[in-house]
């Protein structure tokens, strides 16, 4: 491997490693300050990860985190901050649940219909922010935050019994979906069942890598994110790329809730998981927008979520995991900036050394030429 390639790998790995080490160290400081053992909580959580039922829960949770993080990462690649992933996936799950409860088709048609409904809903909701940005210059951060709040209100309206809501005790639901829209999982025996749409998460990760790294569209997307003026000079329409990136991000976000919707709950209710979109931001940052890095980050986040409840039974607060997640996000921002500055300095020193070597070589060549001329 060339020296330059080794440096790129080192820079890619250094940020996440530093972030994790700093997060663990700071969490340990918090534990010590509260009079707790700074090592035992990690031992307990690592032990939980060895149980097959916890492993199934981690994989299922990670599949949703992964899709949400991919949606965020597409925006990041375009220098867009799509904070609206949370509202986009919740509204998409709601609409898919409504369609699944009121439309009964054969499974070969029902499942694609529900997936398409979720994609179009998420894309439509993020597209609003995209249109506002390219036509009125409205920041996507402000627009998507407002759209999150509006999505919550729209969901509350759709839950009304006079609209699509079905009351089950004190719980608001959309009613049970027709079984033709259920996606069977992978039976792991007593450990439980892995969601069938875990496969979808894997395929989306592969597609994300291929599109961004092996297609002209992916090159235009990355070029526009790096420099709109340079991309425009090469014939790329930056506004079109902004809108396209927002639509793709929202479409992916719409899929984030489907693993649990089609594989377990089969209805959208008050118990449906929330906050996945915001967690996707931290996961995308930790994974450096790489499909492989995001996969490891999603598994880490899911492990912290699913292994931490045991802490309550061992005399520790399970919020330790939440503290660690927050510290990871903070540490990621700081460590990536530090690694970036370090990489720039190394690059500047290398360029300086190469220029100096070229200058010496040129001077030596000039001297040899002069000597040859003098000899003649």
């Amino acid at each position: 491997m060339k020296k330059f390639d080794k440096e790129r790998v080192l820079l890619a790995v250094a940020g996440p490693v530093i972030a994790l080490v700093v997060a663990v160290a700071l969490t340990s400081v918090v534990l010590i300050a509260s009079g707790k053992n700074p090592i035992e909580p990690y031992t307990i959580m690592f032990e939980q990860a060895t149980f097959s039922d916890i492993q199934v829960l981690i994989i299922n949770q990670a599949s949703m985190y992964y899709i949400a993080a991919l949606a965020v990462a597409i925006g990041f690649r375009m220098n867009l901050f799509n904070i609206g992933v949370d509202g986009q996936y919740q509204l998409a799950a709601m609409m898919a649940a409504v369609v699944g409860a009121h439309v009964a088709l054969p499974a070969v048609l029902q499942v694609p219909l529900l997936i398409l409904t979720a994609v179009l809903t998420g894309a439509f909701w993020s597209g609003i922010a995209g249109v506002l940005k390219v036509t009125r210059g409205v920041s996507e951060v402000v627009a998507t935050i407002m759209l999150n709040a509006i999505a919550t209100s729209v969901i509350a309206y759709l839950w009304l019994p006079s609209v699509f809501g079905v009351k089950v005790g004190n719980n608001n639901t959309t009613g049970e979906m027709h079984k033709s829209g259920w996606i069977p999982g992978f039976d792991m025996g007593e450990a439980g069942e892995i969601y069938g749409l875990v496969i979808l998460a894997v395929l989306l990760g592969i597609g994300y890598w291929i599109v961004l790294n092996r297609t002209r569209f992916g090159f235009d997307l990355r070029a526009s994110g790096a420099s709109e003026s340079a991309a425009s000079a090469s014939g790329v329409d930056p506004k079109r790329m902004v809108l396209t990136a927002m639509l793709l991000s929202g479409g992916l976000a719409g899929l984030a809730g489907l693993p649990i919707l089609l594989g377990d709950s089969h209805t959208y209710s008050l118990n449906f998981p929330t906050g996945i979109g915001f967690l996707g931001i931290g996961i995308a940052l930790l994974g450096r927008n790489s499909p492989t890095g995001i996969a490891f980050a999603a598994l880490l986040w899911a492990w912290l979520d699913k292994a931490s409840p045991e802490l309550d039974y061992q005399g520790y607060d399970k919020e330790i995991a939440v503290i660690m997640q927050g510290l990871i996000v903070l540490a990621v921002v700081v460590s990536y900036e530090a690694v970036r500055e370090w990489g720039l300095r190394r690059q500047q020193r290398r360029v300086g050394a190469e220029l100096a070597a070229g200058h010496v070589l040129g001077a030596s060549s000039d001297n040899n030429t002069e000597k040859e001329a003098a000899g003649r």
Side-chain angles (χ1 to χ4, degrees):
M1 186 182 291
K2 295 179 180 179
K3 183 178 179 182
F4 179 67
D5 292 333
K6 289 181 179 179
E7 288 188 2
R8 289 184 62 184
V9 173
L10 178 62
L11 291 174
V13 173
V17 170
I18 293 173
L20 289 175
V21 171
V22 171
V24 170
L26 292 178
T27 305
S28 298
V29 170
V30 173
L31 288 168
I32 293 172
S34 59
K36 302 287 187 178
N37 187 319
I39 304 299
E40 189 177 17
Y42 303 115
T43 304
I44 294 171
M45 289 195 292
F46 276 116
E47 183 183 6
Q48 289 296 299
T50 64
F51 300 137
S52 57
D53 57 336
I54 299 297
Q55 291 170 359
V56 168
L57 293 176
I58 289 173
I59 292 173
N60 287 339
Q61 191 75 9
S63 66
M64 295 187 291
Y65 288 166
Y66 186 70
I67 297 173
L70 285 181
V72 175
I74 285 182
F76 282 162
R77 288 286 192 169
M78 186 62 198
N79 254 349
L80 298 171
F81 203 173
N82 182 10
I83 300 182
V85 168
D86 206 66
Q88 291 153 21
Y89 95 83
Q90 289 191 59
L91 188 59
M94 160 68 92
M95 294 308 300
V98 168
V99 172
H102 292 84
V103 177
L105 297 173
V108 69
L109 297 176
Q110 184 83 343
V111 171
L113 173 64
L114 299 180
I115 293 176
L116 183 62
T117 299
V119 169
L120 292 179
T121 302
F124 169 75
W125 209 245
S126 64
I128 296 173
V131 170
L132 290 174
K133 183 173 182 65
V134 300
T135 60
R136 299 298 179 186
V138 178
S139 167
E140 75 279 0
V141 175
V142 175
T144 50
I145 288 175
M146 295 296 99
L147 285 168
N148 278 342
I150 296 172
T152 301
S153 300
V154 171
I155 289 171
Y157 170 75
L158 295 175
W159 260 333
L160 293 175
S162 58
V163 188
F164 295 115
V166 176
K167 273 284 187 180
V168 178
N170 293 325
N171 197 3
N172 294 326
T173 78
T174 54
E176 188 174 73
M177 300 166 61
H178 291 285
K179 290 189 177 181
S180 59
W182 297 12
I183 295 182
F186 304 99
D187 188 8
M188 307 302 292
E190 294 182 358
E193 190 175 82
I194 295 177
Y195 297 151
L197 283 185
V198 166
I199 298 296
L200 176 63
V202 174
L203 293 176
L204 288 174
I206 295 172
Y208 170 85
W209 183 87
I210 292 174
V211 169
L212 284 181
N213 297 284
R214 291 292 183 269
T215 67
R216 172 60 189 268
F217 170 77
F219 175 79
D220 291 345
L221 187 73
R222 290 182 284 116
S224 299
S227 173
E228 285 193 9
S229 58
S232 180
S234 64
V236 178
D237 184 352
K239 289 187 176 181
R240 179 176 63 84
M241 294 306 298
V242 167
L243 182 57
T244 303
M246 287 300 294
L247 290 172
L248 282 175
S249 179
L252 268 181
L255 296 171
L258 291 194
I260 189 172
L261 177 67
L262 305 186
D264 184 22
S265 67
H266 308 304
T267 186
Y268 187 89
S269 68
L270 292 173
N271 299 325
F272 201 81
T274 58
I276 292 176
F278 296 116
L279 293 176
I281 297 173
I283 293 169
L285 285 171
L286 183 60
R288 298 202 62 157
N289 302 324
S290 159
T292 304
I294 291 173
F296 284 111
L299 288 169
L300 171 65
W301 236 261
W303 167 65
L304 291 172
D305 279 347
K306 298 305 179 182
S308 60
E310 180 63 21
L311 295 176
D312 271 343
Y313 301 102
Q314 303 293 335
Y316 293 91
D317 297 321
K318 65 179 180 180
E319 283 72 22
I320 291 171
V322 179
I323 293 173
M324 190 171 180
Q325 287 173 344
L327 290 174
I328 286 174
V329 174
L330 291 175
V332 160
V333 176
V334 176
S335 65
Y336 281 2
E337 182 62 23
V339 169
R340 188 183 70 84
E341 290 293 333
W342 177 67
L344 286 175
R345 287 197 296 269
R346 283 184 62 86
Q347 186 177 17
Q348 289 169 354
R349 285 197 296 269
R350 184 171 61 249
V351 171
E354 290 175 354
L355 289 175
H359 177 72
V360 171
L361 182 62
S364 176
S365 176
D366 290 342
N367 289 335
N368 291 336
T369 302
E370 291 176 359
K371 290 179 180 178
E372 290 177 0
R376 288 196 297 271

